[in-house]
Amino acid sequence: MDPVRNPFAPGAGSQPPELAGRDDIISDAIIALKRTMIGRHARSQMLLGLRGTGKTVLLNSIENAAEEEGYLTSVIEAPEDKPLAELLYPRMQQVLRKLSFITAAKAKTHDAMKALRGFASVFSIEMGDLSISVDPEPGVADSGNLEYDLSDMFVAIGAAAKAAGKGWCLLIDEVQYLKEEELAALIVAIHKIGQKQLPVIFFGAGLPQLAGLSGDAKSYAERLFSYPKVGALDKGAAWHAIKGPIDEEEEEITNSALEEILQITEGYPYFLQEWGFQSWNTADSSPIDKTDIQAATQTALKRLDDGFFRVRFDRLTPKEREYVIAMSELGKGPYRSSEVAEHLGETPNKLGPRRAQIIAKGMIYSPQYGDIDFTVPMFDDYLRRNSKVIG
């Protein structure tokens, strides 16, 4: 079939043609946006899920919804090697620049700009072309304590946004990579603007351990945020995610082919897109049938092995690779840490630091005490499939 018309979009954060099965999350986000804008209490959200479940796509959708509701938006992907203050500075400066053109907000924006100048100075942020032509306000956002200073900045921006009749929506992906003190400062700042009923709201996304990390950073985080779980799609939503785009192109797929895709992908959105994409390109004509799916599977697995899986495996040290391979050799997870240790002929305590490093790299997580599992769906299959090459 014509590859130019292929409706599927496998890729990190790529918007699928059909955002199936996420209506409740989007609806709750829109309600929170509307309530925050009018000064009503609404909880910020942390989207939790494994790799490939569509968290980034959801953040993009929430960003679009926020802009429709009158918010200025700032999107950040939290890397592992850059301070939060440095990540936030250009976004906060950009928001204040936009607010400065609104007459009703000029005074409040000027105050916030002065605070931002002090913030940049105390955290040694290289301003470059984004320098601010105001003097800092002594005693505001310049203590050098991120918890205090980030709260000052959020309040200053919130006051300026309120004066302008706008809101500020901050969205951060991969939140689990923030340092504990940075996550704590972010939580405190969100708590502060909520107490003052300012039009500022936060949406984050991260791996399942993020809920625990937030609670460790600040105990009240569990009451401050809602934690929607972004998992595999149920059968109906997964079915629609494949069939809907094909129907839109006025082509067809057989029920047996759909069942084959659902069984192989286990309903994970990223894999649904990959199999949909490859199945379309493999089929000579409509309808796409089960034979096409079986042929497409070989191409899909090779693409995943060479890219999606391999990139993550290559980040591990030889000892860490040994650990995750041992996990896969035990079958399907979750796995008991003690069983992995026994399989490797080591004690659990001795392997603790190695396990912690793999968790820190976002490759595994602990669904409950004593258990571990992969953050990447089907990663165990990849390891078993390629054991002779990577072992």
Side-chain angles (χ1 to χ4, degrees):
M1 291 165 62
D2 182 5
V4 175
R5 292 174 48 232
N6 193 325
F8 297 99
S14 298
Q15 183 73 29
E18 187 71 43
L19 190 59
R22 307 303 191 203
D23 292 348
D24 288 347
I25 293 175
I26 296 293
S27 176
D28 288 347
I30 291 172
I31 291 170
L33 288 164
K34 289 178 180 292
R35 287 182 61 85
T36 298
M37 185 64 86
I38 62 173
R40 298 287 175 88
H41 171 73
R43 287 194 290 176
S44 289
Q45 296 182 9
M46 292 275 203
L47 309 178
L48 306 180
L50 303 179
R51 304 288 188 196
T53 53
K55 301 184 299 297
T56 302
V57 169
L58 277 170
L59 280 187
N60 293 339
S61 296
I62 293 169
E63 178 193 8
N64 294 336
E67 290 173 351
E68 290 177 4
E69 295 297 330
Y71 284 81
L72 301 177
T73 61
S74 301
V75 181
I76 292 171
E77 180 173 343
E80 300 168 71
D81 58 355
K82 205 168 188 180
L84 179 61
E86 190 175 334
L87 288 167
L88 282 172
Y89 170 77
R91 272 72 173 189
M92 295 190 293
Q93 196 265 359
Q94 183 183 52
V95 167
L96 291 174
R97 285 276 295 165
K98 291 178 180 179
L99 291 173
S100 70
F101 290 101
I102 300 174
T103 302
K106 284 188 180 296
K108 292 293 185 182
T109 301
H110 186 73
D111 291 342
M113 282 286 196
K114 290 162 69 176
L116 186 58
R117 181 63 183 268
F119 182 87
S121 177
V122 77
F123 289 104
S124 302
I125 296 170
E126 195 66 45
M127 291 184 283
D129 294 336
L130 296 174
S131 58
I132 302 171
S133 57
V134 296
D135 293 326
E137 178 70 25
V140 181
D142 64 356
S143 72
N145 182 311
L146 189 61
E147 280 195 19
Y148 299 151
D149 297 341
L150 198 59
S151 291
D152 283 351
M153 281 311 314
F154 275 38
V155 168
I157 294 171
K162 185 176 182 179
K166 295 283 187 178
W168 180 38
C169 179
L170 174 63
L171 306 101
I172 301 182
D173 204 358
E174 304 284 10
V175 179
Q176 74 277 352
Y177 288 136
L178 295 179
K179 296 181 177 64
E180 183 174 351
E181 62 271 20
E182 294 174 334
L183 182 55
L186 181 63
I187 292 168
V188 170
I190 293 164
H191 190 209
K192 191 71 173 177
I193 54 100
Q195 289 176 324
K196 292 184 173 292
Q197 297 181 313
L198 293 170
V200 178
I201 191 168
F202 169 77
F203 293 91
L207 296 173
Q209 65 260 37
L210 180 54
L213 293 173
S214 300
D216 290 342
K218 288 293 175 183
S219 59
Y220 56 79
E222 64 181 33
R223 302 187 301 276
L224 186 63
F225 298 103
S226 62
Y227 295 92
K229 292 182 180 177
V230 186
L233 300 180
D234 62 31
K235 183 175 180 179
W239 187 285
H240 189 62
I242 295 294
K243 192 172 188 302
I246 293 173
D247 288 346
E248 283 291 315
E249 291 296 324
E250 299 183 346
E251 303 291 357
E252 296 179 0
I253 182 170
T254 66
N255 288 348
S256 61
L258 278 166
E259 291 286 358
E260 184 79 2
I261 291 177
L262 267 56
Q263 182 178 357
I264 294 169
T265 63
E266 301 176 15
Y268 284 103
Y270 183 91
F271 301 138
L272 286 168
Q273 292 300 305
E274 185 66 52
W275 259 262
F277 180 82
Q278 298 300 342
S279 300
W280 176 285
N281 287 348
T282 297
D284 291 326
S285 60
S286 182
I288 299 169
D289 61 26
K290 188 173 180 178
T291 303
D292 296 320
I293 309 306
Q294 292 167 344
T297 294
Q298 302 307 312
T299 306
L301 287 175
K302 187 177 188 311
R303 283 223 329 171
L304 289 168
D305 286 358
D306 293 345
F308 186 80
F309 293 128
R310 185 79 206 191
V311 167
R312 288 159 174 80
F313 183 76
D314 285 348
R315 296 181 65 228
L316 302 176
T317 67
K319 283 295 185 182
E320 291 166 352
R321 293 176 185 181
E322 180 184 71
Y323 191 94
V324 298
I325 289 170
M327 289 172 60
S328 72
E329 288 173 347
L330 293 172
K332 286 287 185 184
Y335 313 89
R336 298 295 296 175
S337 298
S338 57
E339 292 174 345
V340 180
E342 182 180 353
H343 190 67
L344 288 170
E346 302 279 5
T347 63
N349 287 343
K350 186 176 179 180
L351 289 174
R354 194 189 310 183
R355 181 176 63 251
Q357 281 297 110
I358 306 172
I359 290 174
K361 289 183 177 180
M363 285 301 306
I364 63 175
Y365 75 108
S366 178
Q368 61 183 18
Y369 183 77
D371 284 355
I372 50 174
D373 206 348
F374 292 107
T375 61
V376 181
M378 298 166 61
F379 194 72
D380 57 325
D381 292 331
Y382 160 74
L383 294 174
R384 287 189 292 270
R385 191 164 57 246
N386 294 277
S387 60
K388 292 181 180 179
V389 179
I390 62 179

